[in-house]
Structures are given as structure tokens and as C-alpha cells.
């Protein structure tokens, strides 16, 4: 297996993203008392677009060839603040920060592993281990990349860490946590066979053991099934955005559950073990666009049944109801019409619409670029509205419908 972060063995500029890449010597310097003092000094600089040239020139005059490492670390720490609170003195690489789960997502996963001994076999800079410290009864981390491992040693003093290949097990009787690299040179890897290490090899290596694998939210569920995975696929959203999928081996899964959607904003979870007996019928008073985790996990029907909603069409994810579930954003239907730009423009003008939110599913010509539709409508009114454009029916009977709505918030 190629080491994660293997491009980080020399100090250079990454051609894809223009980021400083560190050597072990640079990391050792940043961990030292002198490096920590230097980082505190650089942290006091603005480093904005307006001041960056002058600021960096001053750092270079003071710290010479240590400048790229100092400036890059300072900027990464600022980027990390919103995603990973309480990591103000951490060391990062750009790709490790991009791939790290948001703290809320990692804490949720850690709660599912409470009371277990966990070995993070791709520990990188240590973000998962940090979330696990308050939940797991024992921790060990390993990574094949010496740069990230040195950073993790700085970030997590006292946690046992060692250099090891994720595909060469070094522990027994632990829950194995893996976060295979899904980026290279700033580019995402979508095929699980291209992960580092590849997903099929991870599943084979730890067959029969309790295993948790982080994956991209867009991973193909069918491909996972073809690999022989029979556990649970969990899709998690936070701050109204789908953040990741996570694979839980059968020993860590709830009986009868194969898919789960977790909506951290609402503190709500739903699984495929719940009832899904809803029908499809015309829109009621409200339309609901389910959370992206629900849609991605294929649990729209279960979500609808829980909240007493129905579908507009069996193959479309929009739901409808006469009452809006508590705490859920919805769209109160003011008017529905066969979709055309001309008809929609006339309806919006009659309602004095000046700004418009466009939601669309199943209508390709609009789905490709809803912003372009908004510009073409040339709205001039004062009222903020939403339009939900979707397809109803299949084949020759399919028709595009526009629902002009007032959003609940």
C-alpha cells in the first residue's frame, strides 16, 4: 500500500493546491519549544490577502526557511477552528484536515463505540482518537505515514501510537476503525477500489472482526454489497449537509438494521427497520424536502411514515402533509401549475416575488442549473418565495409540476 501522505517527504509546494508539504525535520521543529514560540508569534499576524505578502516577508526575515511550515500551520489552524474546536495548538496537513470528520460527527461515532477498546488503524493526525478519548475504555492509533504520525504524537500526548500498515494487523480483540484516504493531490477518490487502503482489502483483512470504516457520502451502496459487506451503512448529516457514510460490521450493528440516517442538527435517527407504509398522492398543504442523510440512505418512506407524510410520486423524494412536523422546515403550497418558465414567471409576478429559492428533482433541464432559471425569471417584486419543481408520473405519463410555496423559515 502506498503510504498516505507519501508526497509529504520533502518540503515543497504541492502543485495541486499550493500548500506547504512538511518533512519530519519540519514537524520536529514545530513540536519544539522554539517552534511553538515561533507559531505563537506568527499567529499574531493577520495573513489576509491584503497583508499576506508583507506578513510572510516579515516571517521569512525572522525565521528563514522555517517560514512555509510556520505560515501553513497557522492558516490550517484557523481553518480547523470551525470544524475541530479545541485543536488550537494542533499540527495539520491540508489533506488530513479536509478528510477529518467534523467534531460533532466524530463524537457521534465515538458514542456508538463507548466502552470498547478501539484501534484506529489509519489514525492520521489523531482527530478520531481525540473524539474517542472520552468514550472508549482503551485506545491505540497507527498510521503508515511518519509525517502524520509525528503530528498525532504532538496532538495526542499519552495516546499509544505506532507506525504500521493498516493491512497488517498488529492488535487483537479491539474494534478496528479505518478512515481510508479518499483524496490525492487535492482530488477526491470516488471508487472504493481507489481508496488507500482499498475498501475490499480492508474488509478482507478484518473479516470476522468488529470493524468501522468511514467512507465518502456518495459511495455506491451496490458496490459495497458486491464486496460482501453485510453490516450497516450509516449516513450522517450536520449543519444541513451530508457529511459522510460509515460502515458498521454486523457485530456493531443493531439487529435487522442495514441502513441508518443520522441528522445531528435535529438529534434524530431513522433506520430501514422502521415501517415504510406510505402512499403517493397529490400535494397537501405542506411540502417537505427530507434531510439529505435520509435521501442518501434511501429512507424517505420510513421518514414519511414516522412523520405522517406521503409521497408525491413513488420515485421522487419530496414528501407532503397537511401538518408540518415540529422543527422541520417545510414549504406551504400557494399554487401548483404545469411547469414552464413562462407560466412560472407569470405566477411569481402575480405574487410579487422578488427573490426565489429553487428546489428541483426529476426535471433534468432545471436540475442541471437552477441558478440559471432564477436569473432568467428576472424577478422584480418584494416577496421571498420558494418553488419546488418535480416530476410526477413515469414514462409517457410523466409531467413536470411547479409548486410555488412560502417557506416556513
Amino acid at each position: 500500500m502506498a503510504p498516505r501522505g507519501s508526497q509529504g517527504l520533502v518540503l515543497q509546494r504541492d502543485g495541486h493546491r499550493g500548500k506547504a508539504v512538511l518533512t519530519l525535520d519540519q514537524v520536529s521543529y514545530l513540536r519544539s519549544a522554539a517552534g511553538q514560540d515561533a507559531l505563537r508569534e506568527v499567529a499574531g499576524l493577520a495573513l489576509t490577502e491584503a497583508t499576506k505578502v508583507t506578513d510572510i516577508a516579515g516571517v521569512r526575515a525572522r525565521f528563514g526557511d522555517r517560514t512555509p511550515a510556520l505560515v501553513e500551520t497557522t492558516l490550517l489552524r484557523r481553518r480547523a477552528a470551525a470544524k475541530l474546536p479545541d485543536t488550537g495548538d494542533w499540527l495539520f496537513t491540508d489533506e488530513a484536515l479536509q478528510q477529518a470528520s467534523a467534531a460533532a460527527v466524530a463524537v457521534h461515532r465515538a458514542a456508538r463505540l463507548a466502552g470498547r477498546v478501539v484501534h484506529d488503524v489509519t489514525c492520521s493526525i489523531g482527530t478520531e482518537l481525540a473524539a474517542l478519548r472520552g468514550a472508549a475504555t482503551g485506545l491505540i492509533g497507527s498510521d503508515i505515514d511518519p509525517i502524520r504520525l509525528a503530528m498525532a504524537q504532538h496532538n495526542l500526548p499519552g495516546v499509544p501510537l505506532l507506525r504500521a500498515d493498516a493491512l497488517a494487523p498488529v492488535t487483537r480483540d479491539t474494534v478496528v476503525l479505518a478512515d481510508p484516504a479518499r483524496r490525492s493531490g487535492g482530488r477526491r477518490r470516488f471508487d472504493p477500489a481507489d481508496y488507500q487502503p482499498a475498501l475490499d482489502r480492508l474488509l478482507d483483512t478484518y473479516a470476522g472482526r468488529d470493524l468501522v470504516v468511514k467512507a465518502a457520502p456518495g459511495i455506491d451502496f451496490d458496490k459495497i454489497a458486491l464486496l460482501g459487506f453485510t453490516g450497516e451503512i450509516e449516513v450522517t448529516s450536520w449543519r444541513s449537509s451530508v457529511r459522510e457514510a460509515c460502515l458498521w460490521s454486523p457485530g456493531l450493528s443493531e439487529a435487522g438494521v442495514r441502513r441508518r440516517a443520522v441528522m445531528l442538527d435535529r438529534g434524530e435517527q431513522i433506520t430501514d427497520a422502521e415501517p415504510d407504509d406510505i402512499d403517493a398522492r397529490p400535494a397537501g398543504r405542506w411540502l417537505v424536502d427530507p434531510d439529505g442523510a435520509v435521501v442518501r440512505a434511501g429512507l424517505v418512506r420510513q421518514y414519511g411514515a414516522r412523520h405522517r407524510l406521503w409521497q408525491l410520486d413513488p420515485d421522487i423524494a419530496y414528501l407532503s402533509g397537511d401538518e408540518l412536523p415540529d422543527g422541520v422546515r417545510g414549504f406551504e403550497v400557494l399554487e401548483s401549475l404545469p411547469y414552464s418558465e413562462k407560466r412560472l414567471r407569470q405566477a411569481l409576478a402575480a405574487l410579487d416575488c422578488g427573490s426565489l429559492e429553487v428546489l428541483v428533482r426529476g426535471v433534468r433541464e432545471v436540475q442541471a442549473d437552477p441558478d440559471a432559471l432564477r436569473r432568467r425569471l428576472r424577478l422584480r417584486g418584494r416577496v421571498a418565495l420558494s418553488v419546488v419543481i418535480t416530476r410526477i408520473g413515469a414514462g409517457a405519463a410523466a409531467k413536470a409540476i411547479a409548486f410555488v410555496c412560502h417557506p416556513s423559515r
Side-chain angles (χ1 to χ4, degrees), residues 307-326:
H307 293 291
R308 299 184 300 278
L309 304 170
W310 61 85
Q311 290 182 284
L312 300 177
D313 181 276
D315 297 320
I316 296 294
Y318 292 128
L319 296 168
S320 185
D322 292 323
E323 294 184 5
L324 187 64
D326 290 342

Side-chain angles (χ1 to χ4, degrees), residues 178-371:
D179 183 11
R182 300 183 295 278
R183 294 177 182 270
S184 179
R187 296 183 179 182
R188 296 179 185 271
R189 303 169 186 264
F190 294 100
D191 189 333
D194 293 334
Y195 288 6
Q196 291 187 0
L199 182 56
D200 57 344
R201 299 188 66 192
L202 270 173
L203 296 177
D204 288 345
T205 298
Y206 296 101
R209 291 187 59 176
D210 288 339
L211 174 66
V212 185
V213 184
K214 289 172 55 179
I219 194 168
D220 188 326
F221 292 178
D222 291 335
K223 285 188 177 181
I224 297 175
L226 290 174
L227 296 177
F229 179 76
T230 59
E232 173 194 317
I233 302 173
E234 176 187 63
V235 183
T236 303
S237 67
W238 181 62
R239 292 184 175 176
S240 303
S241 174
V242 178
R243 296 305 176 116
E244 66 185 37
C246 192
L247 313 186
W248 297 84
S249 63
L252 298 170
S253 304
E254 183 181 340
V257 173
R258 292 295 175 265
R259 282 171 289 125
R260 181 188 306 268
V262 178
M263 296 152 276
L264 293 177
D265 295 342
R266 291 177 46 78
E268 182 178 7
Q269 300 186 28
I270 193 162
T271 75
D272 60 343
E274 299 185 31
D276 66 349
D277 51 341
I278 64 172
D279 56 6
R281 48 193 165 104
R285 177 182 175 186
W286 293 95
L287 298 183
V288 173
D289 183 14
D291 186 276
V294 172
V295 177
R296 182 68 191 93
L299 300 175
V300 171
R301 293 177 61 84
Q302 287 85 350
Y303 182 85
R306 174 184 288 187
H307 293 291
R308 299 184 300 278
L309 304 170
W310 61 85
Q311 290 182 284
L312 300 177
D313 181 276
D315 297 320
I316 296 294
Y318 292 128
L319 296 168
S320 185
D322 292 323
E323 294 184 5
L324 187 64
D326 290 342
V328 173
R329 184 174 189 251
F331 303 89
E332 188 174 17
V333 178
L334 303 177
E335 184 176 350
S336 64
L337 58 146
Y339 172 71
S340 76
E341 285 191 26
K342 180 179 179 180
R343 291 191 188 98
L344 180 59
R345 184 182 296 109
Q346 291 171 341
L348 293 171
L351 292 167
D352 196 31
C353 179
S355 63
L356 185 69
E357 175 185 17
V358 179
L359 295 87
V360 57
R361 284 198 179 103
V363 182
R364 291 182 181 178
E365 63 270 26
V366 182
Q367 201 160 349
D369 193 350
D371 289 335

Side-chain angles (χ1 to χ4, degrees), residues 82-97:
K83 185 177 186 181
L84 302 169
D86 305 318
T87 58
D89 61 350
W90 276 39
L91 301 179
F92 298 95
T93 72
D94 180 60
E95 285 193 354
L97 177 56

